[in-house]
Amino acid sequence: MKKILSLAAVLLLCSSRSWAQEPAPAGEQPVYFVYATGQRTDQKLKVLIISTHILRGRNFAFPYQPTTVSMSLDFNEIITRIGQNERHFSTEYDNIHFNPVQVEELYGGYLRWNIQLQYHGDLTSSDNSLSAIEKVRAALIEDHIRKGYRVYQVRFTPLVDGENLSGYRYYDAGTSSYKNLVLDKVSPLSPLWITPYMKGDIKGILAGIGSSLDHRSSGGGIVIEDAGSSRKSSSYSSNSSSKKTSEDPDKWKRQAELNMWQAGNLEAEGDALYQRGTIFYPQALEKYRQAQQLYATSRVQSKINNINGLVGGVKLILDAGESVEKAIETADPQKKTRFVQGFVNYTGLLGSYGNITNPHAQNPMGAFFGFNGHRMFLSFETRIGYIVSPVYEYTVGGLNNTTTSDRVGVQQSSLGLGLSGGLNIPLRDLVIYGMYGFDLMVIPLSNEVLTPGFSLEDDPTFPSFITKWTFGAVYRFPRTRIGLGIQYNLNTIKGEEDRSEPVINNKYPDEHYYLRTTTDEQYKFNNAGVSFIWML
């Protein structure tokens, strides 16, 4: 029993992550940075807000044009919040007004021909897209500093699953399908060069300038010391008289900014490790802890808690298995109630689909290899295998949330794993049991559209978590180590709503259509299965 629980814990943890896509050549990957400028009407204060990282497309060679549009819309959300947070005067004239967001991009290997940027004089033919965009960014910043701009960096993450998600997909000519854009954050700006924006920075400078209607203000000189006043803690302010004699009064402020920048890089490294899968969780956890020690945030702490929770859950399963094993050994030292078996199983017989909107199209099934254990009225089972889902029927919509009368049926096949636990009644060579558990479709193998006239643009994932009640019996042939099992399963899969998965209507291939909502909130169906077993 303990060994089966240990195997279950490993399978459960390993099922939580998937695999990464192969990147395109570094020199051809598209790269972006985003910025916006703003100023007072009287030009007494000008600011440049720029993204901390360069964003690099990982898994394609040339960008899909709407990407820059979606990126500018997402960055504009940040600029709008800054404009609202930094209002100091009641009159619009004296506050900062921001200009439209700009997105600079490079891609491919033809830099001298495809660059239409103002700041590309230092580029050479040996530059790849990343090194070139770094030079463009540096030239842009230096030019704005020379022109009297205050420059701030802000952390920016494109909302690839947000309301502008359509711009973060691209057409792959090799597979004739649309794929999801993957963006990596690279080349962060140093806080020792470009100050990280913090709420109140611009408002503090505006307060130092004063209103254009205030005749007591000077000709527009900016008191630079006021720019960081909002960052000083109360303890710093209360001891300001002693700090005035310091040779470097902003030392601790700059150190805090440096810590924040370093912590952000460690967090990004941790995110990359976490995305690579379960085996890298300990390394990701270490990166998050280092980041938290440098600059504590609730966001990083939640990531630490998440990994600790996963590891703690596995430990809980293992500890429970050990405790149960000890209790059973005490109650049944001669192992008369012990049945530990390997099995191969087919599930999909005698299907009942009356609770599903489209029952006649249904043929879900599963073929599994696994292990189960029955001992002292307790049962546990782990399994891996091939799973075919029920047919999910989706409504179809167009742009701007318009709806159509079409329905599209989709069926997914996957490699998966399952866990179940419950109670049993041992009767010599016969064990009768009831268990509750789940099957998880981990690795999609294919998606089949069963509705004529429609096809998928990509290979999306569909509902993949199946909960199940299983009632069955196992009979071991006397004086042998083999036997047969039968079971009846009550399965449930939760449907989906408000999806935006692209689908091609072959009648109108140039128009945009999306799978929206399954016609069933839950897919409830029953089926039977048979097993061949051998004693372990």
Side-chain angles (χ1 to χ4, degrees):
M1 179 70 73
K2 180 180 177 183
K3 292 179 179 179
I4 294 178
L5 287 171
S6 300
L7 176 60
V10 172
L11 290 174
L12 181 62
L13 188 59
C14 289
S15 69
S16 61
R17 309 307 305 170
S18 60
W19 48 105
Q21 295 172 299
E22 289 296 324
E28 298 182 1
Q29 289 172 311
V31 286
Y32 312 82
F33 70 87
V34 195
Y35 68 94
T37 58
Q39 61 283 317
R40 274 183 33 146
T41 304
D42 60 8
Q43 300 294 308
K44 290 183 179 179
L45 175 61
K46 298 182 290 185
V47 297
L48 167 66
I49 309 294
I50 189 169
S51 55
T52 296
H53 293 86
I54 289 172
L55 300 167
R56 180 169 62 183
R58 182 193 308 175
N59 56 333
F60 65 104
F62 293 96
Y64 181 47
Q65 184 60 37
T67 300
T68 56
V69 177
S70 293
M71 207 173 282
S72 64
L73 290 173
D74 288 343
F75 194 75
N76 189 62
E77 294 293 325
I78 296 176
I79 297 302
T80 299
R81 287 197 299 271
I82 292 176
Q84 294 169 348
N85 292 337
E86 304 302 332
R87 284 180 57 85
H88 182 71
F89 299 102
S90 58
T91 58
E92 294 293 336
Y93 181 89
D94 293 322
N95 291 305
I96 287 289
H97 306 281
F98 283 100
N99 302 313
V101 171
Q102 302 295 318
V103 180
E104 302 291 6
E105 63 172 343
L106 295 178
Y107 57 90
Y110 309 96
L111 298 179
R112 284 295 184 185
W113 292 267
N114 67 16
I115 293 177
Q116 302 295 327
L117 302 176
Q118 179 180 354
Y119 304 99
H120 66 275
D122 294 334
L123 304 187
T124 67
S125 58
S126 61
D127 281 315
N128 59 36
S129 58
L130 179 58
S131 64
I133 201 75
E134 289 174 336
K135 292 180 180 179
V136 170
R137 181 180 62 174
L140 181 145
I141 291 173
E142 291 168 356
D143 183 57
H144 280 77
I145 291 175
R146 284 193 298 268
K147 293 176 180 178
Y149 281 79
R150 299 277 298 184
V151 184
Y152 296 96
Q153 57 170 298
V154 293
R155 292 189 174 274
F156 169 59
T157 301
L159 304 177
V160 295
D161 295 319
E163 60 182 11
N164 303 310
L165 58 86
S166 62
Y168 296 114
R169 296 175 60 81
Y170 71 99
Y171 186 75
D172 181 11
T175 60
S176 299
S177 64
Y178 284 89
K179 293 187 176 181
N180 292 324
L181 170 61
V182 179
L183 292 168
D184 292 322
K185 294 180 178 179
V186 297
S187 302
L189 290 166
S190 168
L192 300 181
W193 181 36
I194 303 303
T195 303
Y197 166 78
M198 296 184 71
K199 185 177 179 179
D201 282 351
I202 298 173
K203 186 183 292 187
I205 301 177
L206 290 172
I209 297 173
S211 171
S212 58
L213 302 178
D214 186 354
H215 298 290
R216 294 172 296 173
S217 64
S218 63
I222 299 175
V223 182
I224 299 302
E225 288 77 11
D226 289 344
S229 61
S230 62
R231 302 186 194 180
K232 293 183 172 68
S233 65
S234 58
S235 61
Y236 185 91
S237 300
S238 64
N239 295 284
S240 59
S241 60
S242 61
K243 298 294 183 182
K244 288 180 180 178
T245 59
S246 172
E247 295 181 359
D248 188 359
D250 288 336
K251 173 183 177 182
W252 301 114
K253 179 189 73 175
R254 292 205 310 275
Q255 183 61 49
E257 292 171 348
L258 178 60
N259 288 349
M260 180 177 68
W261 179 73
Q262 292 174 333
N265 286 339
L266 288 169
E267 181 185 358
E269 292 175 11
D271 290 343
L273 290 167
Y274 184 84
Q275 293 297 327
R276 292 175 66 183
T278 311
I279 194 173
F280 295 97
Y281 280 5
Q283 294 158 271
L285 181 60
E286 182 61 28
K287 293 292 184 182
Y288 291 145
R289 285 174 173 167
Q290 293 174 7
Q292 195 71 341
Q293 290 175 353
L294 279 172
Y295 192 87
T297 64
S298 59
R299 181 185 63 255
V300 174
Q301 187 60 50
S302 68
K303 296 177 180 180
I304 293 173
N305 294 342
N306 175 54
I307 296 180
N308 283 336
L310 291 171
V311 175
V314 172
K315 186 176 185 300
L316 184 63
I317 292 175
L318 297 178
D319 290 344
E322 186 173 353
S323 299
V324 169
E325 188 77 12
K326 289 180 179 179
I328 291 175
E329 288 295 338
T330 301
D332 182 23
Q334 296 182 0
K335 301 182 179 180
K336 293 182 179 180
T337 64
R338 180 181 183 273
F339 292 84
V340 180
Q341 306 150 350
F343 67 86
V344 289
N345 166 262
Y346 174 82
T347 297
L349 304 173
L350 305 176
S352 174
Y353 312 112
N355 294 323
I356 300 178
T357 301
N358 53 335
H360 301 296
Q362 303 299 330
N363 59 345
M365 56 79 66
F368 298 99
F369 167 79
F371 303 92
N372 59 35
H374 308 285
R375 182 96 185 268
M376 279 295 293
F377 310 110
L378 297 178
S379 296
F380 198 86
E381 179 177 291
T382 64
R383 53 192 174 271
I384 59 175
Y386 174 75
I387 304 173
V388 176
S389 75
V391 177
Y392 305 119
E393 187 178 69
Y394 282 87
T395 60
V396 177
L399 294 174
N400 301 318
N401 292 321
T402 57
T403 58
T404 72
S405 60
D406 294 310
R407 300 290 184 268
V408 174
V410 181
Q411 189 171 41
Q412 178 173 265
S413 60
S414 302
L415 296 180
L417 60 86
L419 302 174
S420 296
L423 303 175
N424 71 75
I425 302 175
L427 302 171
R428 294 180 60 86
D429 294 322
L430 176 68
V431 177
I432 302 172
Y433 63 86
M435 292 191 286
Y436 179 77
F438 69 87
D439 290 328
L440 182 62
M441 302 174 72
V442 180
I443 305 176
L445 298 178
S446 67
N447 295 311
E448 183 180 3
V449 178
L450 304 181
T451 304
F454 288 87
S455 58
L456 295 173
E457 292 187 355
D458 207 342
D459 290 322
T461 58
F462 294 98
S464 59
F465 189 75
I466 309 169
T467 59
K468 61 195 301 182
W469 287 96
T470 300
F471 303 94
V474 176
Y475 180 71
R476 182 184 64 177
F477 299 127
R479 294 184 296 276
T480 70
R481 300 186 64 81
I482 61 174
L484 291 176
I486 58 173
Q487 61 275 152
Y488 195 73
N489 305 291
L490 311 180
N491 307 281
T492 301
I493 304 177
K494 186 178 179 181
E496 294 187 308
E497 60 180 356
D498 296 331
R499 287 196 62 166
S500 295
E501 194 64 52
V503 64
I504 298 174
N505 185 335
N506 295 336
K507 291 182 179 179
Y508 312 103
D510 296 329
E511 297 187 14
H512 296 278
Y513 292 96
Y514 304 91
L515 301 182
R516 294 298 190 193
T517 301
T518 54
T519 53
D520 289 271
E521 291 185 7
Q522 287 187 326
Y523 287 81
K524 293 187 176 182
F525 59 97
N526 309 329
N527 54 27
V530 295
S531 302
F532 174 77
I533 67 166
W534 58 94
M535 305 302 295
L536 299 176

